[in-house]
Amino acid sequence: MYSFYVNNISYKKMNKFLSYHQFNLFVLLLQQVCIAQKSSLPKHPVNPGLIHIVWDTNSLRRIGDGEYARMVELKSGRLVTVYAAAIGNTEIVYSNDHGDHWSEPVIVAAKASDIRMDAPGITLLNDGSLMVCYNPRPPFRNADTSKHFAIRLAKSYDDGLTWGDDQLLYKATYKFKDGCWEPAALQLPSGEIQLFFSNEGIYTNSDEQDISMLRSFDNGKTWTTKPGIVSFRKGSRDGMPVPVYLPATKEILFSIEDNGLINFKPYIIRSTIANNWCQTVTANSADRRYALKDSLKGNVYAGAPYLCMLPNGNTLLSYQSTQLRGGNQDVNNAEMIVTVGDKEGRNFVNPTVPFKIPANATALWNSISVLKDETVVALTSTKAHNGKTEVWMIKGRLVY
């Protein structure tokens, strides 16, 4: 707009109205108005139906041996990925070239005897520190009452080179069927950190599970001692929460897998900042909604969702599913699918498959990250390439 007007207004045409300096001032003001108008417009359309992802097979890279990988981008541009290593540690690796090459792993939390340090989540905090929350898990048939399922965290103040401040935040039982699982954290603009996890530790007489949440108000140094229950469908198993904050609507959202309708499906649970989880989101609450615009058949498996936000306010949701894999609806037949939602975290559409997985393999416990340049990075755990469980990444480009 600015160039159009400047190219069509000359000092010669206006000199009978303005002096030379007045004309220059007019042009400067016009430029500022046009820049302001341009910056007030959305960078891209926000209709999710207009957005899809094209995956670059040339960007496929192996990151390490393990699963449950999650990635953040530091202010320096360095990429940091945490995962549950095959040997039982929670480990972290780094890339200084946008993911083309990865460092040797650094141990965040080492396996203790036969207790795995599993399912980590990573958060870049406002003070510049990194926080990794993770999930100690005793063996499947554990009978040792001193070995508990738990939620712990560690922090790094040097971009992940060294780790300390290890804390026990929550302890469930020693039994696999009454454990706690899959922590993920979010820091709000106020500075409050909310750490969500799946919890069946209080349902020792049933197969139920809720989403519980702990809070910190000092960058993770201290935490509330008793978790609040933020999501629970009676008789079912809410699981695998991943939170985001939406500035446009001032809402906290997290995705879950919900098996309240035959098989697991992705749902979105929400609360306003003003409400801030003052009550549990139950089965019939307006704050619990099916995530996908086009519903899947009831028997189709679609679990382990992962939620994140794009720079323009739109949202992305991945999940592992059998919807495109034939009739077998077992988790061991699932692949990764990524969908695009609106700026309210609703109406997820345009499913794409980042990783091409053969029929005898899976792509599980996935996550997605969006880098500063709008590159979408998908992470998966698969045996498809080398016959053992490995973390792989692939990059995607947003098409508007």
Side-chain angles (χ1 to χ4, degrees):
M1 180 186 291
Y2 162 68
S3 60
F4 171 81
Y5 279 111
V6 170
N7 290 338
N8 288 277
I9 300 174
S10 69
Y11 175 66
K12 183 177 180 180
K13 292 179 181 178
M14 298 188 65
N15 63 358
K16 62 180 180 179
F17 303 109
L18 302 173
S19 69
Y20 177 79
H21 294 293
Q22 287 173 324
F23 177 70
N24 282 341
L25 179 60
F26 168 77
V27 170
L28 179 62
L29 290 172
L30 180 62
Q31 180 183 24
Q32 295 302 314
V33 169
C34 293
I35 289 172
Q37 288 178 337
K38 182 178 180 181
S39 65
S40 68
L41 297 174
K43 186 176 181 181
H44 298 293
V46 294
N47 180 353
L50 300 177
I51 308 172
H52 66 278
I53 303 172
V54 176
W55 299 100
D56 178 12
T57 56
N58 293 323
S59 68
L60 186 68
R61 297 289 186 275
R62 178 188 175 279
I63 292 180
D65 292 343
E67 58 188 2
Y68 285 106
R70 280 81 175 101
M71 177 186 291
V72 295
E73 182 180 19
L74 304 182
K75 292 180 180 179
S76 64
R78 168 183 273 191
L79 302 184
V80 181
T81 298
V82 67
Y83 58 92
I87 60 176
N89 302 331
T90 282
E91 297 181 351
I92 199 164
V93 291
Y94 320 93
S95 175
N96 293 316
D97 58 8
H98 223 229
D100 281 347
H101 302 88
W102 290 89
S103 71
E104 291 298 311
V106 171
I107 295 175
V108 176
K111 182 179 179 180
S113 182
D114 54 356
I115 300 176
R116 293 180 54 85
M117 304 303 164
D118 226 324
I122 187 167
T123 309
L124 178 61
L125 300 181
N126 293 344
D127 66 355
S129 65
L130 283 169
M131 185 180 77
V132 166
C133 44
Y134 62 96
N135 184 195
R137 296 181 179 181
F140 176 64
R141 299 190 185 279
N142 176 53
D144 186 340
T145 58
S146 69
K147 298 176 180 178
H148 288 253
F149 289 83
I151 305 297
R152 301 188 69 99
L153 71 78
K155 291 191 69 180
S156 173
Y157 298 91
D158 55 10
D159 289 347
L161 297 177
T162 59
W163 292 86
D165 292 358
D166 198 288
Q167 298 182 59
L168 172 66
L169 301 185
Y170 180 77
K171 184 168 67 173
T173 76
Y174 68 95
K175 297 180 180 179
F176 183 87
K177 69 182 186 69
D178 298 321
C180 55
W181 315 91
E182 299 119 6
L186 167 75
Q187 188 164 34
L188 299 173
S190 66
E192 177 187 348
I193 303 172
Q194 298 184 347
L195 191 156
F196 302 82
F197 61 97
S198 311
N199 189 17
E200 54 186 346
I202 60 176
Y203 304 101
T204 56
N205 296 316
S206 73
D207 194 36
E208 294 169 308
Q209 180 174 275
D210 67 42
I211 305 300
S212 294
M213 188 260 285
L214 295 163
R215 303 176 193 258
S216 173
F217 301 94
D218 55 8
N219 281 306
K221 295 176 183 176
T222 61
W223 293 81
T224 51
T225 55
K226 183 179 180 180
I229 299 174
V230 291
S231 174
F232 178 62
R233 183 194 286 270
K234 187 173 177 56
S236 299
R237 296 180 58 82
D238 289 359
M240 299 201 70
V242 178
V244 299
Y245 172 67
L246 300 184
T249 59
K250 293 183 171 57
E251 289 180 301
I252 312 158
L253 276 61
F254 60 86
S255 56
I256 61 165
E257 57 178 20
D258 182 340
N259 67 340
L261 301 172
I262 305 178
N263 209 341
F264 283 109
K265 299 293 187 298
Y267 274 70
I268 301 296
I269 310 296
R270 66 182 66 232
S271 173
T272 63
I273 282 287
N275 183 50
N276 202 358
W277 311 112
C278 69
Q279 59 189 16
T280 302
V281 177
T282 56
N284 298 317
S285 171
D287 293 325
R288 175 190 296 257
R289 283 292 179 265
Y290 192 88
L292 306 179
K293 183 176 181 181
D294 301 317
S295 298
L296 302 174
K297 292 181 180 179
N299 68 323
V300 171
Y301 169 75
Y306 199 95
L307 183 67
C308 71
M309 189 176 69
L310 294 170
N312 73 335
N314 276 83
T315 43
L316 296 179
L317 180 76
S318 74
Y319 54 97
Q320 58 192 37
S321 181
T322 57
Q323 69 185 80
L324 305 175
R325 302 273 283 180
N328 182 358
Q329 302 304 330
D330 187 82
V331 61
N332 293 314
N333 188 41
E335 64 184 349
M336 184 179 188
I337 292 176
V338 181
T339 56
V340 183
D342 60 27
K343 63 184 180 64
E344 295 181 354
R346 306 177 193 270
N347 302 311
F348 288 90
V349 294
N350 297 341
T352 57
V353 179
F355 300 95
K356 304 304 179 185
I357 301 298
N360 63 346
T362 57
L364 301 177
W365 320 124
N366 313 292
S367 69
I368 40 177
S369 292
V370 181
L371 307 185
K372 285 179 260 186
D373 64 359
E374 290 197 345
T375 298
V376 180
V377 181
L379 299 171
T380 195
S381 312
T382 184
K383 295 181 179 179
H385 302 290
N386 296 310
K388 60 181 180 178
T389 303
E390 299 172 318
V391 174
W392 286 78
M393 63 164 278
I394 193 170
K395 296 177 184 177
R397 175 173 57 86
L398 295 162
V399 178
Y400 294 90

